[in-house]
Amino acid sequence: MSDLSRRGFLGAAAAVTGAAVVATALPTDDAQASPQLPTKHRGHGDIRDVKHVVILMQENRSFDHYYGSMKGVRGFGDHSTITLPGGLSVFQQPTTVPGTPITATQYPWHLSDAPASAYPAGHMPPSSEVGAQGYGGTSHSWDDQHGAWYGGLMNGWVFAKGGLTTLGYLNRADIPFHYALADAYTIGDAYHCSVLSATGPNRTYLWSGTIDAQQKYSSFVAYNGGDELGKNLLWESYAETLQKAGVSWRVYQCADDYGDTGTEYFKTFAQYDPDQGGTPAPGNVFYDRGVANVPEPLTGLTANADNLAAAIKADVVAGTLPQVSWVVTNQAFSEHPDGAPNDGAYYVNGILEALNADPDVFNSTLVIIDYDENDGQFDHVPPPVPAPGTKDEFYLEAAGALASAGVTQPLPVGLGFRVPLLLISPWTRGGWVTSEVSDHTSVIQFMEKWTGALGTPAICPNVSAWRRSVCGDLTGAFDFASPIFGLPKLPKTTVIGDPPGGSYKPPTTTNAMPKQEPGTKRARSLPYQPNANLEGFSFGHSGTVQAKLSLSNNGPHARKASHFAVYNNVAPDQSLVDYPAKFPGQFTVSPSRGAWNRTVTESVDISADHGRYDLTVIGPNRFLRHFAGDVNGAGKAAQAEAAYYRGGFGHKPVLILQVSNGGSRAATFTVTSNNYVKAHAKTYHVPAHGHATHSVDPLATSDGWYDFTITLGSDPSWVRRYVGHLEDGTNSITG
């Protein structure tokens, strides 16, 4: 059964009635005013202070859908966005099929704005808020996730997802508990699901680090569907890796786990699962910890959440909570539409309170809350994907909508779209944002580093080299020197329950760019320093023109690879059957901490529009370059270059913009600040074959952020824009 139909069936079967949520908002940045409580033990002041890791993977919500309107994160106020074919903002999605004339567009819209009376007959909720909480999900298979992504162009959301629901979002008033957690702890705004696909593949990544796209273990590739039950996956799950390393672990689940317990996808566990034809084996570690259910004495609307919390509380009080716990709930509390987000809040709050039954346990525990995939909900940030042919990162679907449409090239497994990440611990308290690129394998990478520090290294054999190079291990989000202990006051939660008679269908109410809360948040430092420049052009004998780009990732604090995507904005509309040749280029550049001028050079064919060029380069943490002009225009001899250091790494980076005039006449360049710093535009009159330098110190004036445009007086088509953040190894604020 497909992911959507499986969940639709289970959701309808479990539908219940309930009361509307009543919640009390938490004051913003509550944690910053919280006292630093003493602990029983001083600890090490490093990752070894983590005694327990508890992983709550929830279901099917995208980052923009939940947090696009939250202050300080990369959401609706993002200045560093791509443009769609035809020049539209990525937020203004066409409602027509990609590659056809655009006759209408739609911006993200607020799900709870419509009054209950505006709902379709027979599907009227008791209130607009209940309607938004119980809205129906959207399609989210391998085919339509790649259809929304559309080779990286990001213009297929409405077409692929079957309607405008894909653009619906919630805000602080709708999900106050979720916002309160982010305000109190750390949110990740660059955390991606692992696969451009459904729940099953993404949970397989969380539990093992791969879907075996290269078919190393069998002919089966776990690329699609709601789960992998009955597939008896043959590679090693991370639970098995922990077991071999001597690290204690357990899966907490009830009889109804919605098919979301990833251990049971693997043969090691499936052989003991009676629901898959296996034979229970009490006393066997893989049965006891990975298949067996917790006691379920409680019944009623909240029973699944309450029984899980009770089982964890019992182990906390008894001192038997394992080092690693995965907690898996049912559809109603997983937040999978039409599961209400505030029902998920009830479940999550119950788990936190269970851990806090012994404050020493809570104060030594990391709780990771992430989401398996985005459902079909829109997110505006193109996910990093590897170059074609990267080992264990591409798969060609043999049958399905894409195959039927003529797609004959392997498509990237991921990364998938952004989903929420919350890091709940004493070392991530304080309302922080981490913008390091990460995915479900980052959870594994964190546990690898943690268990290594404990002297019991549990190294996953399945994570690809590309993912290890691009995706972080989450440790950059922690401050082990300054923990803030205790469970903060959080909004009250009550349970709505699934809508009676099926999902609600909120009608669209607005078609305007949504607003993001004003303000910034504190941000953790990042392990890369991306840069990109347009170096010039080469001309072929047959009239072809190539734009030569240099991409670099150089700096004393660069430790991770930086991913870049290059968009040719004047390229003609493409069909996905043309992937990858005519779609945005994807490049991964290793860090350089010693050779300040190390670059990777790439070329982009710009022959299609008779010399006119319009290129966008994007990278991590709002990095963006925009180069536009005409190789036949007055600006053909003008050049600009961005650098952060001169003659080797200095004490700290600055932004150096050098303009050059290779022509025979004087040229006038103007440098304008677009964001972050209010400053008068500065004009440079550069003689023939001369140059000028514009140098600024963003670390001193704007917490490292910069956004400048350079224009040329003699050629209005000539534009260079430079956006990004300078890293000096210290914490900052968000952009």
Side-chain angles (χ1 to χ4, degrees):
M1 187 178 292
S2 72
D3 185 62
L4 186 63
S5 60
R6 176 179 75 93
R7 282 154 161 63
F9 172 79
L10 291 174
V16 294
T17 60
V21 167
V22 178
T24 303
L26 177 73
T28 301
D29 296 331
D30 168 81
Q32 295 181 35
S34 299
Q36 184 165 324
L37 302 177
T39 57
K40 184 185 296 183
H41 305 290
R42 180 175 296 274
H44 301 279
D46 59 32
I47 197 172
R48 291 173 294 173
D49 291 340
V50 180
K51 304 303 180 186
H52 310 277
V53 176
V54 178
I55 303 160
L56 278 67
M57 176 173 270
Q58 294 290 85
E59 282 262 16
N60 291 48
R61 303 284 175 166
S62 81
F63 189 88
D64 276 347
H65 169 66
Y66 261 16
Y67 289 107
S69 63
M70 182 179 223
K71 79 167 188 176
V73 299
R74 191 173 186 183
F76 296 140
D78 188 5
H79 298 300
S80 302
T81 59
I82 64 167
T83 55
L84 303 182
L88 295 173
S89 162
V90 69
F91 292 109
Q92 190 177 5
Q93 285 289 316
T95 60
T96 48
V97 177
T100 64
I102 298 173
T103 57
T105 62
Q106 176 67 47
Y107 285 99
W109 55 281
H110 188 205
L111 282 166
S112 63
D113 275 355
S117 59
Y119 279 66
H123 292 274
M124 188 177 297
S127 68
S128 58
E129 184 57 47
V130 172
Q133 290 277 329
Y135 90 103
T138 53
S139 185
H140 43 276
S141 69
W142 171 274
D143 287 333
D144 59 75
Q145 295 279 52
H146 282 84
W149 170 74
Y150 214 77
L153 296 180
M154 300 287 286
N155 63 338
W157 285 93
V158 178
F159 150 73
K161 303 302 181 179
L164 300 181
T165 303
T166 182
L167 294 164
Y169 71 90
L170 301 165
N171 64 15
R172 183 182 294 272
D174 302 313
I175 49 174
F177 183 88
H178 297 74
Y179 274 59
L181 280 179
D183 285 338
Y185 288 100
T186 294
I187 185 172
D189 67 357
Y191 185 88
H192 296 256
C193 56
S194 289
V195 191
L196 282 161
S197 189
T199 286
N202 279 291
R203 288 186 174 258
T204 297
Y205 253 100
L206 178 76
W207 261 279
S208 73
T210 188
I211 57 169
D212 195 25
Q214 70 187 60
Q215 298 176 297
K216 178 180 178 181
Y217 296 95
S218 72
S219 60
F220 176 73
V221 176
Y223 75 97
N224 203 10
D227 55 53
E228 268 81 62
L229 293 172
K231 302 301 183 182
N232 294 313
L233 305 182
L234 297 177
W235 58 93
E236 182 175 284
S237 69
Y238 195 63
E240 295 168 77
T241 306
L242 292 171
Q243 181 66 26
K244 290 195 302 184
V247 178
S248 62
W249 60 274
R250 183 182 177 184
V251 177
Y252 289 86
Q253 62 176 335
C254 294
D256 178 9
D257 67 350
Y258 199 33
D260 280 351
T261 300
T263 50
E264 294 175 356
Y265 304 163
F266 293 84
K267 184 177 181 179
T268 298
F269 298 87
Q271 62 185 321
Y272 305 119
D273 182 8
D275 292 336
Q276 299 182 77
T279 302
N284 178 282
V285 64
F286 297 118
Y287 173 79
D288 290 344
R289 299 183 187 177
V291 178
N293 300 321
V294 303
E296 298 186 68
L298 303 174
T299 60
L301 181 66
T302 63
N304 187 277
D306 292 344
N307 284 320
L308 287 167
I312 291 173
K313 181 177 180 179
D315 285 351
V316 167
V317 172
T320 56
L321 184 73
Q323 290 171 277
V324 176
S325 303
W326 291 276
V327 190
V328 184
T329 187
N330 65 2
Q331 185 269 335
F333 293 99
S334 72
E335 303 174 49
H336 185 297
D338 50 23
N342 283 358
D343 291 3
Y346 175 88
Y347 156 67
V348 170
N349 186 64
I351 300 302
L352 297 180
E353 290 185 343
L355 293 168
N356 200 43
D358 182 342
D360 281 335
V361 172
F362 184 80
N363 290 333
S364 60
T365 296
L366 164 65
V367 180
I368 300 174
I369 302 173
D370 57 5
Y371 290 72
D372 50 23
E373 37 103 346
N374 61 297
D375 198 75
Q377 294 303 139
F378 168 79
D379 189 73
H380 79 279
V381 176
V385 301
T390 301
K391 185 179 180 182
D392 203 32
E393 290 293 346
F394 280 80
Y395 177 69
L396 177 61
E397 183 185 28
L402 293 174
S404 299
V407 176
T408 58
Q409 294 295 322
L411 294 175
V413 171
L415 303 181
F417 300 115
R418 290 188 308 165
V419 291
L421 169 73
L422 296 170
L423 299 173
I424 313 300
S425 78
W427 316 281
T428 54
R429 183 89 175 265
W432 292 86
V433 175
T434 176
S435 297
E436 184 173 4
V437 173
S438 49
D439 81 325
H440 300 328
T441 69
S442 299
V443 177
I444 292 176
Q445 292 186 64
F446 176 88
M447 290 192 284
E448 289 178 330
K449 191 161 188 176
W450 171 56
T451 57
L454 296 178
T456 52
I459 308 303
C460 178
N462 305 319
V463 181
S464 74
W466 180 79
R467 293 201 185 227
R468 288 191 181 277
S469 73
V470 170
C471 297
D473 60 15
L474 305 181
T475 57
F478 291 73
D479 181 358
F480 290 107
S482 305
I484 301 175
F485 298 106
L487 179 63
K489 181 181 179 181
L490 295 168
K492 295 178 181 178
T493 61
T494 50
V495 175
I496 293 176
D498 283 349
S503 305
Y504 296 121
K505 299 178 181 179
T508 53
T509 53
T510 59
N511 195 2
M513 185 63 204
K515 303 296 184 182
Q516 186 169 352
E517 297 172 345
T520 61
K521 283 179 172 287
R522 295 185 289 178
R524 295 299 187 188
S525 61
L526 298 178
Y528 18 65
Q529 190 65 87
N531 195 8
N533 285 294
L534 175 58
E535 301 289 353
F537 306 92
S538 61
F539 302 87
H541 296 297
S542 58
T544 60
V545 184
Q546 296 282 321
K548 295 184 292 184
L549 297 169
S550 65
L551 310 174
S552 63
N553 180 23
N554 304 326
H557 308 287
R559 302 183 309 278
K560 296 290 293 185
S562 181
H563 175 270
F564 299 88
V566 179
Y567 287 76
N568 183 357
N569 299 319
V570 295
D573 285 343
Q574 304 296 336
S575 167
L576 199 53
V577 299
D578 296 316
Y579 180 83
K582 299 180 180 180
F583 281 83
Q586 308 286 345
F587 308 101
T588 301
V589 179
S590 299
S592 174
R593 301 174 68 180
W596 68 271
N597 61 346
R598 176 183 175 185
T599 60
V600 173
T601 302
E602 301 293 343
S603 295
V604 180
D605 185 359
I606 59 170
S607 309
D609 205 34
H610 308 290
R612 187 171 72 93
Y613 61 92
D614 189 321
L615 302 170
T616 298
V617 183
I618 60 170
N621 196 29
R622 310 178 195 237
F623 174 87
L624 181 141
R625 298 289 189 260
H626 182 214
F627 309 117
D630 191 327
V631 298
N632 300 311
K636 61 184 178 182
Q639 184 61 284
E641 180 183 12
Y644 308 135
Y645 300 94
R646 290 295 194 206
F649 295 143
H651 175 65
K652 65 176 183 177
V654 294
L655 179 64
I656 304 163
L657 299 174
Q658 179 171 288
V659 293
S660 303
N661 176 17
S664 58
R665 297 182 179 180
T668 300
F669 297 87
T670 301
V671 182
T672 304
S673 175
N674 303 310
N675 296 293
Y676 305 121
V677 175
K678 292 183 179 180
H680 294 295
K682 191 164 184 179
T683 298
Y684 295 89
H685 302 286
V686 182
H689 307 293
H691 66 269
T693 300
H694 182 83
S695 182
V696 295
D697 186 357
L699 287 168
T701 60
S702 52
D703 296 282
W705 292 98
Y706 64 88
D707 183 349
F708 291 94
T709 294
I710 307 176
T711 54
L712 181 65
S714 61
D715 187 348
S717 72
W718 192 96
V719 177
R720 303 290 187 266
R721 185 180 176 208
Y722 303 87
V723 188
H725 185 262
L726 297 183
E727 297 292 335
D728 66 350
T730 64
N731 296 322
S732 181
I733 65 168
T734 57

